Amino acid sequence: MEKHTEEIKLSVLGQSLAVGIVAGLIVLSYRLVLGYAGTWLKAILAYAKESPIRMAGWFVTLLIMATIVGRLLKYEPMISGSGIPQLEGEMEDKMEQTWWKVLPAKYIGGFLSLLAGLSLGREGPSIQLGAMTGKGLVRVLKRGKEDEKVMLTCGASAGLSAAFHAPLAGVMFALEEVHKKFSVIVLISAMIASISADYIASCIIGGAPVFQFEVGNALPYEYYWMLILLGAILGVLGAFYSWTTMKVKALFAKPRCLNETTRLFIPFMIAGVLGFTRPELLGSGHELIEALTGKELLLGAAAAILAAKFLFSIISFGSGAPGGIFFPLLVLGAFIGGVFALACVQYLGLDPGYVNNFVVLAMAGYFTAIVRAPMTGLILIFEMTGSVSQMLSLAVVALAAYIVATWLKSKPIYDSLLESQLSTMEKGMKKSA
């Protein structure tokens, strides 16, 4: 009996390695393609600005891309949004995703959405692509349902790892948010998949952290009262983000004139306008963080960008376009921290050298308030910045944000999104019956 159990474990570990390698390659290619999408978008906008006819041509192109993405959503509704609620629904046996439909549809839909400039992230799609790779492997090998759930977890872990060069965060997210049950075999399998995916990504694009800016020394204890205040603000704003996201999604779903395609026209057209007026607001927002941490923005400008990026991110995601909220959340959190720190410098005597500390701390706190996965948030920020000097202050901010968001009775965003999607599916089934 012990030998049989050991054989099963070894087979699962072998599958997790295969999932990590294949998912790592798929997600890495997706990451690279999205990088090209950002470069091509800048070139297209620069070319189109030279004449009104070219600008009009870009708006027509955006409508065509929105139509294609809408057709993909109609072909496979499970590619809507980040894909994480769908994965959680499948883990709870409440949904069933068709892996061979989700993989190409999500890949193409996510690419077109980012090429258009929508304020969406790559991490949610990367997690869903990784999970569907795991499911596909299990189905091809004709393994059981239990193996399938383990490989879904492994694929999710590998997807986040390859997307952000964050293998530990990939493992923690897979356990904390996806599998939600701890076992040694799941932990080891997720680690194998995550590390192998990260190794592949590092070999091809290098192992540098996603964010490469100077954080400086750990925050002095005399400023820790500011951390508690920042955490409370992040908890309130995180609850507001979750509430607004659900309201906007409901508004998009309400009018009968809007379907999978026509509701996408709204964010795609907004992206076209922003492309010729405020192009820095397009895409996930990596360059915005570089401008903030590079001391290029004053308090008023940072606050204005925060408000505009928040609105565009909410509209982009609320439309149902394929794309994640992870990275936009980190960008919004960074700007909340930046605005808070700049205000403290101006009015409360904070040393300007610690502004970047607050940027990093607010990323973790905002993520924790919204996703309600504190350990993932802490480890993710640590791996993305490469800094270990902020761990105590990170924990203080994340804990304060978590407590305040919970006190406000704000549900974790992915739980709310899953409930909304299940409700929509139930209504659709009643109508068809």
Side-chain angles (χ1 to χ4, degrees), residues 195-217:
I195 292 171
S196 57
D198 180 65
Y199 177 77
I200 290 172
S202 299
C203 286
I204 297 176
I205 62 174
V210 173
F211 296 127
Q212 298 184 34
F213 55 82
E214 188 64 35
V215 177
N217 297 323

Side-chain angles (χ1 to χ4, degrees), residues 123 164 211 289 325-336 359 362-364 366-367 377 380-381 384:
E123 68 304 311
F164 279 154
F211 296 127
I289 292 184
I325 58 173
F326 247 57
F327 204 92
L329 283 186
L330 297 179
V331 173
L332 293 174
F335 268 79
I336 293 171
V359 169
M363 288 186 198
Y366 198 57
F367 177 89
L380 180 65
I381 299 305
M384 291 180 71

Side-chain angles (χ1 to χ4, degrees), residues 398-425:
L399 182 61
Y402 188 99
I403 291 172
V404 171
T406 303
W407 177 69
L408 292 172
K409 298 181 180 179
S410 174
K411 290 183 178 180
I413 186 65
Y414 293 125
D415 289 355
S416 297
L417 291 169
L418 175 58
E419 289 177 10
S420 175
Q421 191 154 0
L422 289 172
S423 176
T424 301
M425 291 170 59

Side-chain angles (χ1 to χ4, degrees), residues 258-309:
L258 295 180
N259 55 32
E260 297 93 341
T261 300
T262 53
R263 68 171 60 105
L264 293 175
F265 289 164
I266 298 173
F268 274 72
M269 289 297 97
I270 292 175
V273 174
L274 291 176
F276 297 117
T277 56
R278 299 300 299 269
E280 67 272 14
L281 296 176
L282 299 180
S284 59
H286 192 282
E287 292 181 358
L288 285 176
I289 292 184
E290 291 180 350
L292 178 65
T293 56
K295 309 297 192 296
E296 299 174 21
L297 298 174
L298 299 177
L299 177 58
I305 290 174
L306 171 61
K309 188 66 174 174

